């Protein structure tokens, strides 16, 4: 089975692709070949031939959907492509929109539908969080510029300025809040979300929904060391009962289909839901290494097999990310740059 | 008591809360006291343990156990 994996940009802000690919490879009975779907010839995963078997350059998902579909069809025809695990926020809308057309071309995905995808919007998160019995930081939705001063005063500085789906900035002054709002409006339009900053421990959950309201596995982690880009560099697995219960409710209520991550902040008052990511996070390999290989379970579920039912995992396992160097020949880059695939 | 009962302790005195992911370091005495509380022993029994193990006055042992309990409470472990 040929499984396409995107997000193989194992850089300082790593995509989830290498973690997903390693997890798939680790399941010896899964029988998959990894097809790397890269957006740049320099994505490290292209050169990591012990993890990614073959790589192709993809058109940017912001372009024509037809180009994107044609490229995937070409990969299927010339090499093989049966299933895709998209791992980047920017490409998910395209994969969700064209899921049926991809299926007709023999390329399967397991993704939320458009309505489920919408649930992660920060403008609807407040209402949804109530159903999940979790809290959301005080939030205001900006739909017009003249609302800003009053809303900034209501939330209080410093605050977070967030796009509905992408990007977030910390604003310390009114001027910064206004500038960030303008930037987000220019890029994504209204509404823009202003949110109170809450402090506490950053705990995240990775999970998999079967589309019927059931989870196929959940693993929670606490961020221990975060980079200047806000990415977890070390973490420790935990079993926060409240957060895990919220994740179960999330899957049950939304009948979520596919992978997801809940980003939370936990303090003495309870669980704050900060964000829902509709894909595997870059730390998903931690779940694999504590016994819940969620990418492999996703593939088995897609094939109609019964994935493993084991749900327990050990708390207190350290996740430590490191950087590593690779020196290789220019041939691979030459081929990627000129032919759009590695040799 | 749930948090205290589930605190994972290493022989070297590192405590790990598997729910919240927080870690705590304990010295030899703290480890003895914490294990006793995890075992369900009341404070009076823990004081006796300290008296059996260390050369310490009853007053000091009682104060230390009381302070330790207050610390556990402040950390949300009891």
């Amino acid at each position: 089975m040929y499984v396409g994996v995107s997000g193989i940009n194992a850089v300082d802000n790593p995509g989830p692709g290498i973690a997903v690919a390693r997890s798939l490879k680790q399941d010896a009975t899964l029988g998959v070949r990894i097809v790397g779907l890269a957006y740049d010839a320099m994505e490290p995963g292209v050169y990591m031939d012990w993890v990614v078997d073959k790589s192709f350059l993809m058109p940017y998902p912001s372009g024509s959907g037809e180009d994107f579909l044609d490229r995937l069809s070409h990969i299927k025809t010339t090499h093989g492509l049966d299933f895709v695990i998209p791992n980047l926020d920017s490409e998910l809308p395209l994969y969700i929109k064209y899921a049926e057309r991809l299926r007709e071309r023999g390329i399967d995905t397991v993704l939320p539908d458009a309505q489920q995808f919408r649930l992660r919007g920060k403008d609807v998160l407040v209402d949804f969080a109530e159903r999940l019995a979790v809290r959301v930081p005080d939030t205001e939705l900006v739909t017009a510029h003249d609302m800003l001063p009053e809303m900034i005063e209501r939330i209080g500085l410093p605050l977070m300025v967030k796009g509905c789906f992408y990007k977030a900035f910390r604003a310390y002054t009114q001027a910064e809040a206004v500038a960030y709002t303008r930037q987000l409006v220019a890029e994504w339009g209204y509404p823009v979300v202003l949110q109170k900053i809450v402090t506490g421990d950053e705990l995240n959950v990775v999970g998999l929904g079967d589309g019927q309201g059931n989870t196929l596995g959940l693993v929670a982690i606490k961020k221990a060391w975060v980079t200047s880009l806000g990415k977890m560099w070390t973490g420790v697995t935990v079993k926060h009962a409240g957060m895990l219960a919220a994740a179960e409710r999330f899957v049950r209520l939304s009948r979520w289909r596919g992978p997801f991550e809940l980003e939370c902040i936990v303090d003495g008052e309870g669980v704050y839901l900060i964000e829902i990511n509709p894909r595997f996070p870059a730390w998903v390999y931690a779940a694999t290494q504590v016994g819940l290989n969620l990418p492999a379970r996703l593939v088995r579920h897609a094939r109609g097999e019964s994935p493993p039912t084991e749900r327990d995992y050990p708390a207190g396992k350290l996740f430590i990310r490191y950087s590593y160097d690779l020196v290789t020949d220019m041939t691979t880059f030459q081929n990627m740059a000129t032919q759009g695939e590695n040799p | 008591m749930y948090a205290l009962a589930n605190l994972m302790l290493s022989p070297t005195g590192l405590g790990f809360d598997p729910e919240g992911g927080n870690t705590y370091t304990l010295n030899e005495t703290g480890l003895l006291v914490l294990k006793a509380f995890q075992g369900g022993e009341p404070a009076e029994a823990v004081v006796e343990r300290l008296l059996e193990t260390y050369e310490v006055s009853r007053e000091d042992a009682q104060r230390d156990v009381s302070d330790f309990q207050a610390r556990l409470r402040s950390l949300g472990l009891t």
Side-chain angles (χ1 to χ4, degrees):
Chain A
M1 183 183 194
Y2 291 91
V3 179
V5 174
S6 65
I8 57 173
N9 51 325
V11 296
D12 57 347
N13 184 3
I18 292 300
V20 170
R22 283 180 80 187
S23 299
L24 296 175
K25 285 284 194 186
Q26 196 156 303
D27 187 334
T29 63
L30 199 60
V32 299
R33 300 278 292 173
I34 305 297
V35 181
L37 304 174
Y39 292 102
D40 192 289
M42 281 290 193
E43 287 190 22
V46 170
Y47 305 86
M48 298 168 67
D49 57 8
W50 65 96
V51 181
V52 182
D53 298 298
K54 171 81 172 175
S55 291
F56 292 88
L57 213 51
M58 293 292 294
Y60 283 119
S62 55
S64 159
E66 295 301 327
D67 287 345
F68 203 85
L69 289 177
D70 288 344
R71 182 60 173 163
L72 290 171
S73 292
H74 168 80
I75 295 170
K76 183 171 180 71
T77 305
T78 60
H79 174 74
L81 187 64
D82 304 300
F83 185 73
V84 176
I85 304 178
N87 294 298
L88 298 172
D89 292 330
S90 55
E91 63 188 1
L92 280 165
L94 211 59
Y95 276 102
I96 290 171
K97 181 179 177 183
Y98 292 115
E100 196 48 46
R101 287 183 63 182
L102 282 170
R103 196 167 297 119
E104 289 165 3
R105 299 181 187 203
I107 300 168
D108 204 3
T109 56
V110 175
L111 292 169
D113 60 31
Q115 194 176 2
Q116 291 168 331
F117 190 64
R118 188 74 185 82
L119 283 174
R120 55 185 249 301
K122 295 176 186 69
D123 52 337
V124 301
L125 207 58
V126 176
D127 295 329
F128 190 47
E130 202 173 312
R131 297 173 64 199
L132 298 181
V134 293
R135 308 173 72 177
V136 173
D138 289 347
T139 301
E140 295 283 356
L141 285 182
V142 181
T143 54
H145 182 78
D146 55 9
M147 300 166 83
L148 267 173
E150 192 182 324
M151 286 187 169
I152 292 170
E153 180 149 348
R154 261 210 297 273
I155 295 285
L157 291 162
L159 52 76
M160 296 301 294
V161 183
K162 300 182 174 183
C164 250
F165 297 110
Y166 309 117
K167 292 198 172 178
F169 304 98
R170 183 177 287 233
Y172 292 90
T173 65
Q174 175 152 342
E176 282 185 354
V178 170
Y180 288 136
T181 302
R182 283 198 183 127
Q183 183 180 331
L184 288 168
V185 170
E187 197 170 349
W188 305 103
Y190 285 111
V192 169
V193 175
L194 302 185
Q195 200 170 67
K196 190 176 184 64
I197 293 173
V198 293
T199 56
D201 294 323
E202 292 186 60
L203 303 187
N204 293 358
V205 180
V206 60
L208 193 54
D210 70 353
Q212 307 296 320
N214 306 302
T215 55
L216 298 177
L218 295 171
V219 174
I221 200 164
K222 176 188 173 182
K223 291 185 182 181
W225 193 10
V226 176
T227 70
S228 58
L229 294 174
K231 300 303 166 187
M232 179 169 58
W233 208 254
T234 63
V236 62
T237 58
V238 294
K239 292 182 180 178
H240 192 281
M243 195 172 64
L244 289 170
E248 296 261 12
R249 278 194 294 275
F250 165 71
V251 173
R252 189 173 69 248
L253 293 175
S254 67
R255 300 173 78 80
W256 190 265
R257 188 166 183 266
F260 69 92
E261 179 195 24
L262 301 187
E263 293 186 27
C264 303
I265 288 179
V266 174
D267 67 6
E269 304 291 321
V271 178
Y272 285 95
L273 178 60
I274 303 300
E275 195 151 348
I276 300 173
N277 292 315
R279 47 154 177 82
F280 286 123
W283 61 268
V284 68
Y285 189 65
T288 301
Q289 285 297 85
V290 295
L292 271 68
N293 190 334
L294 298 179
R297 291 188 181 192
L298 173 65
V299 170
R300 292 191 186 284
H301 174 69
R303 295 204 293 222
E305 301 168 18
S306 296
T309 54
E310 179 58 51
R311 300 295 301 274
D312 199 13
Y313 63 91
K317 288 295 184 184
L318 277 182
F319 166 82
I320 299 178
R321 181 168 283 153
Y322 63 93
S323 60
Y324 201 66
D325 302 328
L326 166 69
V327 179
T328 188
D329 194 72
M330 274 281 276
T331 311
T332 298
F333 173 73
Q334 287 164 352
N335 267 66
M336 283 296 288
T338 58
Q339 310 295 321
E341 57 185 89
N342 56 0
Chain B
M1 277 305 293
Y2 173 81
L4 183 66
N6 286 281
L7 204 62
M8 296 161 65
L9 296 174
S10 81
T12 55
L14 185 77
F16 173 72
D17 169 19
E19 175 158 308
N22 293 320
T23 54
Y24 310 93
T25 51
L26 299 113
N27 60 18
E28 180 186 306
T29 312
L31 196 57
L32 183 152
V33 172
L34 192 64
K35 281 184 176 176
F37 279 133
Q38 279 190 327
E41 293 184 31
E44 298 76 20
V46 179
V47 168
E48 294 304 320
R49 271 189 184 264
L50 289 179
L51 292 173
E52 287 165 13
T53 311
Y54 302 106
E55 283 187 23
V56 63
S57 70
R58 180 172 294 275
E59 189 182 50
D60 283 349
Q62 285 172 332
R63 186 187 58 243
D64 287 347
V65 170
S66 175
D67 286 350
F68 194 83
Q69 286 177 300
R71 189 81 176 107
L72 292 177
R73 281 192 296 272
S74 74
L75 291 171
L77 292 172
T78 58

